């Protein structure tokens, strides 16, 4: 088992290195750089050149990359060229803000997804199955930023019962004032995991229900709950994999929802860095998110291996 | 006395959502362009020269600020003497004096000074590249020398904001730390800075100008780049004031009891023609003038729900420097077609051109449908236009690059919105000494008479002559049409009825000291 974990971790190293190269190259491929965006349009070439020299942007790209990687390996994520603030503190703040949304959204999405998916499989072919399936398809296919805007229009503008934007007070969400700000973005963000998970749970459960061993269990005289336990255990591995992925997506891929709700999270930080061509922030954010993604995948792999010994081989 | 105290504290908290994606820097040299200056520049920091934000009936001009007066040495026109205002305190309680000015100028113009601020320097030097040297004459007098005689130098120095040297030392001598606890001399002091979330300012009770002590207790600035988010924040009562409401939402906002404020200010939304590109049709003045006669400006005004006004020059028609140009642009397709015929075009030989436009961007309004509208009307006169659509960052890059280089993507014009506040801006965008890529005259337009008159203005000290010649410059700009004059923005903002006492002035900046809020 330990060997399995170590092997998984070893695989992650080239993945992260690859990500760092691609990210760095992509930032360089876009026209212009942070200095072009930073100085006012009326700046002369000379002013821009002085700034570029100051931030080492006049070095050849491979030198810039190696320097950046060297600092990264020492745990130094660098300084935002645009704001002058350390990337590590900006990113930590942004990730914490995103976690405030991503954890409840994942929990809500998964719970709803498992319940809807299992019920749909249980009532396979009936109108209930069709209703639940339609709900999950809607969850996957409606653009969630659009759903966010609609929710804001209803609950913030027309009914005026919930705030339409922002995070509310600082700190760990404990008070009602915090929670009010969470409700609409969390619901919006939970739609995709809800849809994806419920589709998969339904398919997975249906597939397991049809297998011979379930028939055998029934033949042995096992009933209801005990059979369901066996079904769930067998249906779990693919569901677990998708849950890990969905959580990873929410950490980095919720930029649109964060934009609609003006939520200062990691997606928002990444979008800003793209528009400002702020390479240190963008590269660090993507690499850190990729590392989190890799870690989540390792955890999921290990959990799957624990549940299903066949995977360990 | 009791009444006076309660009146002075009747202000309350004003919450404003701005269009920038982040809180503009709070170091006393805001980024995010003039929106940054409007909210986290002049309310908290000041310069030797101020923009007059007290009158709304005419275009704003400069007035004495932290300097009570200034003069130009008649024997050496590059030498300027600024007499400083006495009794001015920074927010940290220290005195503003000549040492502070000298320290701040080194911050921007001396890369070897310990307080050198690379970013602030880039932005300040971009707007005011001509400072050569400076010295303290006495505690209340400073001399600044420019690299060339420039009669409009006071307009340029208005963007070099002064901060407290003592406070900079106190926070540890870095701009990153200063951003969290800055000190200027303005009527508001910045008390809290949360990156990407908000900045909070409080009234500064020791402000030197007793007539302009702020009435508000507090202003909170929230960056909110998404217009529907700003709209929802206003309508749900999370903020009291939003910049740039979505134009479609204006009728419903009015119906719901919100105030929509619009006013003229020095902004233009043009196409800059590329004169350098060898096969650009706009090298021919007749084609440029024809294009100006072939756009239906009123339809754009209607399309944007009245939040812009037609532009028929760099300045708007009521500007004192508009002059008396020969060309008076209206929507006149027949005249445009005649001009094109004289330039050798016709139904069998239509004008083909490519325009570089952005998807969005600061001051750009809604560039895609606006440009499509132009494309449509211009087509009726014989123009076949195609667009190269890029993000705003790429457009900025192109603006600073050679108009025949790869950044321009082969375009014959580009759509960029710009500041038109004074004659220094005219020089910046149109002087042939400023050809891109070394300056801001992107299209490399050159007109000999224009250059001659501009140089006369730069070297003159006679205010009447400067005014007269400046109007002549503008007449040349209208008649020679280096740009397609489309619209001037009217700075729409929406606010709740609780906001009282706001009088918009014809400037990029506004006075927040007279505002109160009913809580």
């Amino acid at each position: 088992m330990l060997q399995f974990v170590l092997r998984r971790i070893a695989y992650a190293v080239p993945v992260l290195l690859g990500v760092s190269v691609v990210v760095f190259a992509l930032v360089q491929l876009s026209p212009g750089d942070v200095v072009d965006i930073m100085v006012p349009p009326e700046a002369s070439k000379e002013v821009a050149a002085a700034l570029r020299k100051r931030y080492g942007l006049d070095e050849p790209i491979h030198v810039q990359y190696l320097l950046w990687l060297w600092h990264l390996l020492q745990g130094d994520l660098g300084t935002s060229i645009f704001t002058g603030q350390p990337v590590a503190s900006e990113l930590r703040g942004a990730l914490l803000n995103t976690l405030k949304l991503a954890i409840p959204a994942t929990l809500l999405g998964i719970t709803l997804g498992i319940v809807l998916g299992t019920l749909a499989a249980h009532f396979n072919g009936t109108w209930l199955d069709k209703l639940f399936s339609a709900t999950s398809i809607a969850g996957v296919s409606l653009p969630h930023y659009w759903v966010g805007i609609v929710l804001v229009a209803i609950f913030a503008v027309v009914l005026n019962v919930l705030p339409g934007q922002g995070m509310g007070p600082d700190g760990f969400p404990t008070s009602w004032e915090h929670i009010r700000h969470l409700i609409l973005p969390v619901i919006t963000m939970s739609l995709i995991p809800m849809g994806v998970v419920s589709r998969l749970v339904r398919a997975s459960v249906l597939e397991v229900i049809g297998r011979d061993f379930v028939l055998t269990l029934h033949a042995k005289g096992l009933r209801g709950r005990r059979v369901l336990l066996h079904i769930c255990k067998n249906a779990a591995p693919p569901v677990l994999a998708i849950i890990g992925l969905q959580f990873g997506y929410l950490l980095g891929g919720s930029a649109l929802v964060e934009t609609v709700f003006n939520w200062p999270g990691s997606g928002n930080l990444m979008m800003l860095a793209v528009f400002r061509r702020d390479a240190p922030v963008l590269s660090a954010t993507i690499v850190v998110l990729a590392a989190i993604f890799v870690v989540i995948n390792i955890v999921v792999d290990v959990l799957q291996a624990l549940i299903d010994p066949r995977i360990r081989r | 006395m009791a009444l006076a105290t309660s009146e002075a504290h009747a202000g309350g908290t004003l919450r404003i959502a701005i269009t920038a994606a982040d809180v503009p820097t709070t170091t006393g040299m805001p980024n995010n362009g003039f929106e940054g200056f409007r909210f986290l520049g002049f309310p908290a920091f000041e310069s030797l020269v101020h923009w007059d934000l007290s009158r709304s009936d005419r275009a704003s001009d400069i007035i004495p600020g932290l300097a009570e007066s200034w003069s130009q040495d008649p024997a050496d026109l590059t030498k300027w003497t600024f007499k400083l205002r006495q009794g001015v305190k920074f927010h940290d309680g220290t005195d503003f004096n000549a040492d502070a000015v000298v320290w701040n100028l080194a911050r921007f113009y001396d890369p070897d000074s310990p307080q050198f601020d690379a970013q602030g320097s880039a932005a300040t030097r971009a707007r005011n590249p001509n400072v050569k040297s400076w010295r303290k004459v006495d505690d209340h007098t400073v001399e600044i020398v420019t690299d060339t005689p420039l009669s409009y130098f006071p307009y340029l120095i208005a963007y070099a904001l002064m901060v407290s040297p003592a406070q900079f030392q106190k926070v540890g001598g870095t701009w990153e730390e200063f951003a969290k606890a800055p000190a200027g001399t303005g009527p508001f002091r910045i008390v809290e800075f949360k990156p990407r979330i908000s900045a909070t300012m409080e009234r500064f009770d020791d402000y030197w100008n007793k007539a302009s002590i702020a009435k508000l207790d507090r202003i909170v600035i929230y960056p909110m780049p998404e217009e529907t988010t700003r709209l929802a924040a206003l309508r749900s009562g999370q903020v009291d004031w939003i910049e740039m409401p979505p134009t479609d939402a204006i009728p419903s906002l009015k119906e719901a009891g919100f105030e929509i404020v619009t006013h003229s200010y020095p902004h233009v939304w043009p196409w800059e023609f590329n004169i350098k590109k060898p096969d650009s049709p706009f090298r021919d003045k007749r084609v440029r003038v024809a294009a100006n006669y072939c756009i239906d400006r009123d339809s754009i005004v209607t399309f944007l729900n009245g939040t812009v006004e037609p532009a028929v020059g760099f300045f708007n028609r009521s500007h004192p420097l508009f002059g008396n140009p020969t060309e008076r642009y209206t929507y006149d397709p027949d005249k445009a077609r005649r001009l094109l015929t004289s330039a050798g075009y016709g139904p069998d030989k239509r004008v083909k051109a490519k325009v570089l436009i952005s998807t969005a961007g600061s001051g750009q309004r809604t560039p895609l449908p606006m440009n499509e509208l132009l494309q449509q009307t211009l087509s009726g006169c014989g123009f076949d236009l195609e667009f190269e659509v890029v993000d705003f960052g790429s457009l900025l890059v192109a603006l600073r690059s050679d108009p025949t280089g790869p950044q321009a993507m082969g375009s014959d014009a580009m759509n960029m919105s710009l500041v038109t506040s004074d004659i220094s801006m005219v020089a910046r965008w149109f002087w042939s000494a400023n050809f891109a890529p070394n300056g801001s005259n992107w299209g490399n337009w050159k007109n000999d008479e224009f250059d001659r008159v501009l140089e006369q203005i730069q070297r003159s000290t006679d205010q009447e002559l400067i005014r007269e010649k400046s109007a002549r410059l503008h007449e040349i700009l209208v008649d020679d049409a280096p740009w397609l004059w489309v619209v001037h923005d009217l700075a729409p903002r929406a606010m709740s009825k609780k906001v009282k006492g706001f009088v918009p002035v014809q400037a990029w900046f506004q006075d927040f000291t007279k505002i109160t809020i009913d809580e």
Side-chain angles (χ1 to χ4, degrees), chain A residues 31-33 35-48 50-51 54-55 79-86 90 93-95 97 149 152 156-157 160 162-170 181 258-266 268-270 272 274-277, chain B residues 21-23 25 31-32 34 111 116 118-119 121-127 129 175-177 179-180 192-197 222-226 228-229 231-233 235-239 391-394 396-397 399-402 407 416 418-419 425 428-429 437-440:
Chain A
D33 61 24
V35 171
D36 291 304
I37 315 295
M38 204 159 80
V39 299
E42 54 266 39
S44 71
K45 260 234 144 57
E46 177 197 328
V47 166
L51 205 59
R54 179 140 189 133
Y55 291 114
T79 306
S80 160
I81 297 179
F82 204 92
T83 65
Q85 300 293 328
E90 287 205 349
L95 273 175
N97 292 342
I149 292 173
V152 167
V157 176
N160 202 359
L162 289 170
Q165 65 84 33
M167 234 176 22
D170 292 339
H181 283 83
E258 290 186 357
T259 303
V260 169
F261 290 98
N262 208 35
W263 196 274
S266 53
N268 180 293
L269 182 71
M270 208 150 58
L272 258 183
V274 170
F275 288 126
R276 292 162 164 186
R277 313 271 200 275
Chain B
D22 196 352
V23 179
T25 32
N31 55 14
N32 285 295
F34 280 175
F116 184 68
Q119 278 191 38
S121 163
T124 309
R125 284 177 61 203
R127 301 204 170 97
W175 292 107
E176 294 78 74
E177 289 305 313
K180 296 172 194 163
E192 190 180 48
F193 164 54
K194 295 197 259 178
R196 293 191 298 140
I197 300 175
Y222 296 99
M224 248 179 249
E226 181 54 40
T228 51
T229 310
L231 180 65
R235 296 207 57 161
S236 62
Q238 284 192 285
V239 297
D391 75 298
F392 190 55
S394 305
L396 286 175
V397 173
L399 181 69
R400 258 193 282 288
S401 309
D402 189 314
Q407 297 86 349
M416 171 69 85
L418 298 155
V419 180
M425 296 292 174
R428 181 159 288 148
W429 307 118
N438 298 314
S440 303

Side-chain angles (χ1 to χ4, degrees), chain A residues 112-275:
Chain A
L112 282 176
I114 292 177
V115 170
L116 289 182
T118 316
L119 286 176
H122 187 76
F123 295 107
N124 183 21
T126 68
W127 65 271
L128 264 177
D129 176 22
K130 294 197 174 84
L131 177 70
F132 294 145
S133 299
T135 312
S136 61
I137 288 174
V140 181
S141 9
L142 287 178
H144 50 335
Y145 61 88
W146 178 83
V147 175
I149 292 173
V150 171
L151 288 178
V152 167
I154 297 172
F155 292 98
V157 176
V158 178
L159 302 176
N160 202 359
V161 287
L162 289 170
Q165 65 84 33
M167 234 176 22
D170 292 339
F172 192 76
T174 44
S175 67
W176 169 235
E177 192 50 34
H178 279 110
I179 292 164
R180 282 174 44 141
H181 283 83
L182 280 171
I183 295 174
L184 296 181
V186 164
I187 292 177
T188 309
M189 268 173 95
S190 70
L191 289 179
I192 288 191
M194 185 272 287
V196 172
V197 169
S198 78
R199 295 301 295 161
L200 194 76
V201 166
R202 180 180 177 275
S204 203
V205 169
L206 277 181
E207 193 225 23
V208 175
I209 285 177
R211 287 220 203 124
D212 291 345
F213 81 89
V214 179
L215 202 63
T216 315
L217 289 174
H218 281 293
K220 277 169 67 183
L222 287 182
R223 302 182 30 174
R225 206 176 295 167
R226 298 293 297 276
V227 177
L228 190 66
L229 192 71
H230 283 277
I231 292 175
C232 285
K233 203 173 161 186
N234 278 275
V239 176
L240 208 57
I242 209 79
I243 288 173
L245 280 178
Q246 286 298 317
F247 183 62
Y249 283 138
L250 289 193
L251 278 185
S254 51
L256 293 175
V257 175
E258 290 186 357
T259 303
V260 169
F261 290 98
N262 208 35
W263 196 274
S266 53
N268 180 293
L269 182 71
M270 208 150 58
M271 295 259 283
L272 258 183
V274 170
F275 288 126

Side-chain angles (χ1 to χ4, degrees), chain B residues 3-54:
Chain B
L3 186 71
T5 317
S6 70
E7 233 178 41
H9 290 270
T13 300
L14 173 63
R15 301 160 304 167
I16 304 178
I18 64 172
T19 69
D22 196 352
V23 179
T25 32
T26 51
T27 51
M29 187 52 239
N31 55 14
N32 285 295
F34 280 175
E35 187 183 56
F37 256 90
R38 184 181 313 138
F39 292 104
L40 287 155
F42 294 127
F45 306 96
E46 297 178 300
S47 170
L48 300 178
V49 174
H50 281 187
W51 284 96
D52 182 2
L53 305 179
S54 65

Side-chain angles (χ1 to χ4, degrees), chain B residues 65 72 100 103 213 219 253 272 289 320 396 407 452 495 509:
Chain B
Q72 202 174 3
W103 186 92
I213 301 268
I219 303 179
L253 277 171
E272 301 183 25
V289 172
L396 286 175
Q407 297 86 349
R452 205 168 48 245
M495 47 192 79
F509 320 110

